Amino acid sequence: MLKPLTGVTLSLEGRVALITGGSRGIGAATVRLFRQAGARVVFSYRSAQPQAEALVAECGGPDLCRAIQQDLATAEDGQSLVRAAVEAFGRLDCLIVNHGIWPPHDAPIAEMTVAQWRTTMGVNLDSVFGLVQAGVTQIKSQPAPSSGARGHIVLVSSTAGQRGEAFHADYAASKGALLSLTKSLSTELAPQGISCNCVAPGWVATEMSVAALEHPETSKKVLATIPQGRAAHVDEIAGPILFLCTPLAGFISGEIFNVNGGAVLVG
Ligand code: NAP
C-alpha cells in the first residue's frame, strides 16, 4: 500500500553517531545535521575545546551531544575514542571518520621529511584503522535494530585521494588509502548488515582551506578547476554524509561519493 505523501524524512531517531573532528568545519556541520535528524552524537576534537563546548550546548547539551578530547594519531587513539564514545551513550550505530590534516605548505617529494609523512599517515590513516576496528567490534556486539542496517561507516576522503595532489603526496596517499579501505570494508561487512561508504569532497570553505581560498592567485587557479566555480559550503558535505546513514541509501555500499562541484568525475 502507498504510504501517505507527507514528505521525506531523514530520521536517525534512536541512533548514536560518533563523528571525529567535530569541533570545526565539515565535522561541526555534520554534528549539527545528525542532531537535527534526531541522533544522539558524540564527537571528538583535538584542541578546540571552546568550540566543542559551544557546539554541545547548541546541540541540546550532554544528554544528546557529547564532546571528547582525543588526539587521533595512532590506531590505539582510535580504539580509545570508540571506547569513550560507547561509554557516553551505550551504543554505536554510525561511525563518521572525518578528522584529518592537510599540511598546507608545498613539499616537493625529494624534500618532504619522514616526520611529515609519518604524522600525516598517523592522523589520516593509522587512527582510522583503530576507529574502524573498534567501531565494527562494537556494532557487531549490539543487538541488531528492528529495521534498517545494523550499522553505518562513512569515511571522509578527498579528491586528492582520487587524482593525487602535487606537492602533497602524503595527504593524497593517505586519502587514497581510504578509498580502498572503503571498498574492502564494504565487501567484508555488507553481508553482516554494516554499510561502509566514502564521501570524497573537493574544495570546501573551512579553516583547512582558507589560506588557499583567500589567496587571490591560488584561489583563481583552484576555482578554474571546479565547473560550479566555487568551493562547497560545509553543509553540502554534511548532507551526503547523513544521507548515506539513512534507509534511503539502503542499497549503497562501497560507494565513493563525489561531492566536488563537478571537478573530478570518476565512476
Ligand atoms: P578542519 O576545519 O581543519 O577541521 C579538522 C577537524 O579534525 C577538527 O575538528 C580538528 O580538531 C580535528 N583534528 C585535526 N587533527 C587532529 C588530530 N591529530 N587528532 C584529532 N583530531 C584532529 O578540517 P575540514 O576542512 O573540516 O576537513 C574535514 C575532513 O574533510 C578532513 O578529513 C579533510 O581531509 C577532508 N577534506 C577537506 C577539504 C577542504 O577543502 N576543507 C577537502 C577535501 C577533504 P581541533 O578543532 O580540535 O583542531
Side-chain angles (χ1 to χ4, degrees), residues 46-217:
R46 180 189 44 182
S47 54
Q49 190 176 356
Q51 288 99 316
E53 286 173 357
L55 187 57
V56 168
E58 181 192 331
C59 287
D63 288 348
L64 299 169
C65 185
R66 304 262 179 98
I68 295 174
Q69 192 287 325
Q70 176 70 63
D71 198 5
L72 289 168
T74 64
E76 291 77 10
D77 290 342
Q79 290 160 348
S80 297
L81 177 59
V82 170
R83 273 197 301 277
V86 172
E87 271 171 34
F89 290 131
R91 61 180 291 120
L92 177 66
D93 301 287
C94 306
L95 171 61
I96 314 303
V97 179
N98 162 76
H99 74 284
I101 50 170
W102 178 71
H105 57 281
D106 281 359
I109 196 65
E111 292 163 26
M112 186 180 290
T113 64
V114 173
Q116 175 175 328
W117 178 270
R118 289 207 173 123
T119 299
T120 306
M121 287 296 162
V123 175
N124 289 2
L125 186 57
D126 293 354
S127 69
V128 182
F129 165 65
L131 284 160
V132 165
Q133 195 177 53
V136 167
T137 304
Q138 172 61 32
I139 291 168
K140 283 166 72 173
S141 75
Q142 300 168 174
S146 53
S147 65
R150 198 165 169 188
H152 295 275
I153 298 171
V154 180
L155 308 181
V156 179
S157 177
S158 166
T159 45
Q162 298 172 296
R163 66 176 171 193
E165 186 172 7
F167 307 109
H168 298 269
D170 53 338
Y171 179 75
S174 70
K175 292 296 184 178
L178 297 188
L179 306 182
S180 47
L181 180 60
T182 300
K183 294 173 186 177
S184 306
L185 295 174
S186 166
T187 309
E188 179 181 331
L189 298 173
Q192 300 166 49
I194 302 171
S195 79
C196 183
N197 291 295
C198 173
V199 168
W203 286 89
V204 187
T206 69
E207 284 174 50
M208 181 182 278
S209 56
V210 69
L213 292 174
E214 285 185 357
H215 187 278
E217 272 170 39

Side-chain angles (χ1 to χ4, degrees), residues 13-40:
E13 206 71 49
R15 301 291 172 112
V16 174
L18 168 58
I19 298 167
T20 68
S23 43
R24 296 184 284 119
I26 294 167
T30 308
V31 170
R32 288 189 182 94
L33 198 60
F34 272 63
R35 277 294 307 119
Q36 284 165 7
R40 283 176 294 167

